[in-house]
Amino acid sequence: MLKDILKPYRLILASGSPRRHQFFKDLGLDFEIILKPIEEVYPEHLKREEITDYLSKLKAEPFISELKSNDILVTSDTIVWHNNNALGKPKDEQDAFNMLKSMSNGTHEVISSICFTQKNKQKVANTTTKVTFKKLTDQEIWHYIKAFKPFDKAGAYGIQEWIGAIGITSIEGSYTNVVGLPTHILYETLINISKDE
C-alpha cells in the first residue's frame, strides 16, 4: 500500500542499522541506503527528545544540498533516557555493564526522533516508550554482554534479544521504537508527505 503511494518518490534511508533496514523492508518500501559520516555531538543543555530531534536533523545536513525534488531522506536517532541522563552506545564491556546495572530494577525511557528531509522542507517527529527491567543479576548482565555484544545499541541492550526476553517486565508505548525505529510514525508521516504534495 505505502509502496504504491510513494512510487513518485525516491526514498533514502541514511542509517547503517540492520534493524532499521529490516523495518523498511517489513513495511514493503523501496528504498536506497546511503551513508555519510557525521560526528554525533549535541549541545550539553539539550534534554530528552531535544537531543534526538537535534541529532536526527544533524544526520540529514550532509545530504541537503544534493536532494532532488522527488527525494525523501529519512534520518533517525534513538537514546535511552535514565536518571536525567542520555545513554548512548556503550564504549566497552564495562560501560555496557554500568548502563544495564543502572537500569536494573527500574523504569527508563527510550526516545526516538525521525527526520524527514525534502529539497525545500523538513519535518521531525518523536515518541517515547517506557521500559521496566526486573532486578538483573550481575551474572545475567555479563552473560548478555559477552554473548550478544550490544555495543551498537543505545542503552547497551536490544529488546528483541535474550535480555529483553528474560529481563523486561513491562513496556508502555511503541515496541518498534525500542528496537530502533517507531514504524507507526514512519508510516503516518510518509503518507502525510504524499498527501501534501
Side-chain angles (χ1 to χ4, degrees), residues 117-132:
T117 306
Q118 295 173 271
K119 190 172 176 63
N120 296 311
K121 57 186 171 182
Q122 191 174 61
K123 177 179 175 54
V124 181
N126 59 62
T127 193
T128 299
T129 304
K130 291 183 177 179
V131 180
T132 303

Side-chain angles (χ1 to χ4, degrees), residues 146-166:
K146 297 286 188 188
F148 290 87
K149 306 190 184 322
F151 307 116
D152 65 333
K153 297 176 177 71
Y157 80 93
I159 191 172
Q160 71 279 19
E161 295 176 341
W162 181 83
I163 198 134
I166 67 103

